[in-house]
């Protein structure tokens, strides 16, 4: 007979993964460190696998632990959504959401429409900043949750979507045929920019960055005006843009992962409810995940 998983143990597993430590996780779940250790021992017995690998003082998950963590996040989220849906008390108050500007253009309308319909008394404060700034805000308690480009170094992020990164040009111009190739990209620290320039350099193709901005609307405007070639996720392609591929002389780019990160030190029913709507709106992980994934934040 299949063993049922304990929600409380799964919450503790998530806390350990998010904090990287049994000790810090104990503070998050309001238990003693010995109680946390006992919970994880019982969880390992329940699934019949080792969940943690020895890595000094750090609590590092094994491959089985990472796999269980993904299920744990979904199970805990669904449990919260279920309890909330049967609650007579209507949520009210304020929740703070961070999102890069290009994700805001594409995803916020549906997310906010869904959330407001279910929670009309909740005020949503939206902060639009690049991913690195949003991560800092989360870490310092300035936001309740944020939609970001996934970073492997950020253990607390929950991957909810993946997309192909593509070259785009104006459908009405031939700027992609110019030599050197004019580009509209993010700032020098942007990983999308680095991926694009590395691939062009590998082809010995001459290029020059004419426009650089964290703001995707500014990059898109330069592309649509026929001034430069840009790099965007698939869902950011706008009318008037044309995707460039190997047949045009442009190499394939890596894919990107979009993730949700939460303020684990100030969890709330409001943040849980909004997170549920975000996942429902963005999730496309039922299909096969791309093999080559860009590891760090680009916005």
């Amino acid at each position: 007979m299949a063993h049922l998983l304990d929600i409380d143990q799964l919450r503790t597993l998530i806390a350990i993964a998010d904090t990287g430590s049994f000790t810090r996780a104990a503070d998050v779940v309001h238990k003693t460190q010995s109680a946390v250790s006992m919970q994880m021992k019982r969880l390992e017995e329940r699934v019949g696998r080792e969940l943690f690998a020895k890595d000094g003082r750090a609590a590092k998950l094994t491959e089985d632990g990472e796999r269980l963590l993904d299920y744990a996040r979904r199970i805990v989220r669904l449990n919260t959504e279920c309890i909330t849906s049967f609650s007579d008390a209507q949520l009210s108050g304020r929740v703070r959401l961070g999102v890069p500007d290009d994700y805001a253009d594409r995803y916020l309308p549906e997310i906010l429409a869904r959330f407001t319909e279910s929670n009309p008394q909740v005020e949503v404060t939206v902060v639009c900043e690049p991913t690195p700034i949003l991560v800092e805000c989360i870490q310092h308690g300035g936001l309740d949750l944020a939609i970001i480009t996934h970073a492997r170094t950020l253990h607390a992020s929950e991957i909810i979507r993946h997309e192909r990164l593509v070259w785009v040009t104006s459908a009405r111009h031939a700027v992609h045929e110019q030599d050197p190739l004019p580009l509209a990209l993010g700032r020098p620290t942007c990983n999308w920019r680095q991926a694009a320039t590395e691939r062009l350099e590998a082809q010995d193709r001459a290029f020059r960055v004419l426009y650089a901005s964290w703001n995707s609307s500014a990059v898109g405007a330069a592309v649509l005006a026929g001034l430069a070639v840009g790099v965007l996720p698939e869902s950011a392609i706008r009318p008037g843009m044309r995707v460039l591929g190997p047949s045009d002389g442009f190499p394939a780019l890596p894919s990107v992962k979009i993730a949700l990160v939460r303020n684990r030190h100030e969890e709330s029913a409001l943040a849980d409810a909004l997170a549920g709507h975000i996942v429902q709106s963005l999730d496309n992980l039922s299909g096969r995940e791309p093999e080559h994934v860009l590891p760090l934040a680009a916005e």
Side-chain angles (χ1 to χ4, degrees):
M1 188 176 84
H3 296 290
L4 296 178
L5 294 174
D6 184 282
I7 293 289
D8 194 38
Q9 292 174 359
L10 295 180
R11 288 186 187 277
T12 300
L13 175 68
I14 293 170
I16 294 170
D18 289 346
T19 62
S21 160
F22 276 54
T23 302
R24 290 191 291 270
D27 293 334
V28 172
V29 298
H30 306 292
K31 299 181 184 297
T32 63
Q33 183 176 343
S34 60
V36 166
S37 298
M38 181 58 67
Q39 277 193 313
M40 292 304 95
K41 180 180 179 181
R42 290 175 178 170
L43 184 57
E44 288 181 325
E45 292 172 351
R46 188 162 301 225
V47 299
R49 302 292 178 88
E50 290 188 1
L51 303 178
F52 298 92
K54 293 182 179 180
D55 186 23
R57 294 186 176 182
K60 184 178 180 181
L61 290 172
T62 62
E63 184 175 338
D64 288 322
E66 291 285 357
R67 187 153 59 101
L68 180 59
L69 176 64
D70 180 59
Y71 284 109
R73 292 192 191 279
R74 284 185 277 170
I75 291 169
V76 170
R77 182 177 66 245
L78 285 172
N79 179 75
T80 302
E81 289 178 14
C82 179
I83 297 300
T84 301
S85 69
F86 286 97
S87 175
D88 293 329
Q90 197 170 47
L91 292 175
S92 62
R94 182 171 70 102
V95 61
R96 303 161 299 173
L97 170 66
V99 56
D101 68 290
D102 58 335
Y103 292 175
D105 291 341
R106 306 200 303 279
Y107 304 135
L108 271 186
E110 180 181 355
I111 292 170
L112 295 182
R114 281 188 174 192
F115 183 72
T116 301
E117 182 178 359
S118 303
N119 305 277
Q121 296 185 32
V122 176
E123 173 190 339
V124 182
T125 299
V126 179
V127 175
C128 290
E129 294 287 356
T131 286
I133 295 177
L134 295 178
V135 171
E136 288 184 11
C137 289
I138 286 286
Q139 292 172 340
H140 292 92
L143 292 171
D144 296 303
L145 64 166
I147 301 168
I148 63 169
T149 305
H150 173 64
R152 285 179 182 165
T153 55
L154 187 64
H155 301 292
S157 60
E158 174 187 0
I159 300 168
I160 55 177
R161 185 180 183 87
H162 57 65
E163 292 188 14
R164 283 196 311 137
L165 202 60
V166 295
W167 301 93
V168 290
T169 188
S170 168
R172 299 185 296 110
H173 301 83
V175 65
H176 60 286
E177 297 177 356
Q178 293 183 19
D179 186 22
L181 178 71
L183 297 174
L185 301 170
R187 294 182 184 178
T189 55
C190 170
N191 280 59
W192 297 358
R193 171 171 170 161
Q194 293 170 8
T197 56
E198 285 173 2
R199 279 156 178 75
L200 292 176
E201 288 169 352
Q203 289 186 330
D204 290 326
R205 182 165 184 177
F207 64 87
R208 52 183 179 145
V209 179
L210 288 186
Y211 303 93
S213 175
W214 280 122
N215 188 290
S216 64
S217 296
V219 171
V223 171
L224 288 171
L227 302 174
V229 169
V231 170
L232 294 172
E234 263 184 319
S235 65
I237 299 172
R238 293 157 55 181
M241 289 182 179
R242 175 190 163 198
V243 175
L244 299 168
S247 61
D248 303 294
F250 286 81
L253 291 166
S255 295
V256 293
K257 288 181 178 180
I258 297 173
L260 184 65
V261 61
R262 311 191 198 192
N263 181 347
R264 296 295 178 182
H265 300 292
E266 297 179 22
E267 295 189 21
S268 69
L270 290 180
D272 288 340
L274 180 54
H277 285 276
I278 290 172
V279 173
Q280 290 173 21
S281 297
L282 272 64
D283 177 39
N284 71 345
L285 298 183
S286 55
R288 183 179 176 181
E289 188 174 339
E291 295 180 3
H292 303 292
V293 179
L294 197 64
L296 197 58
E299 270 82 13

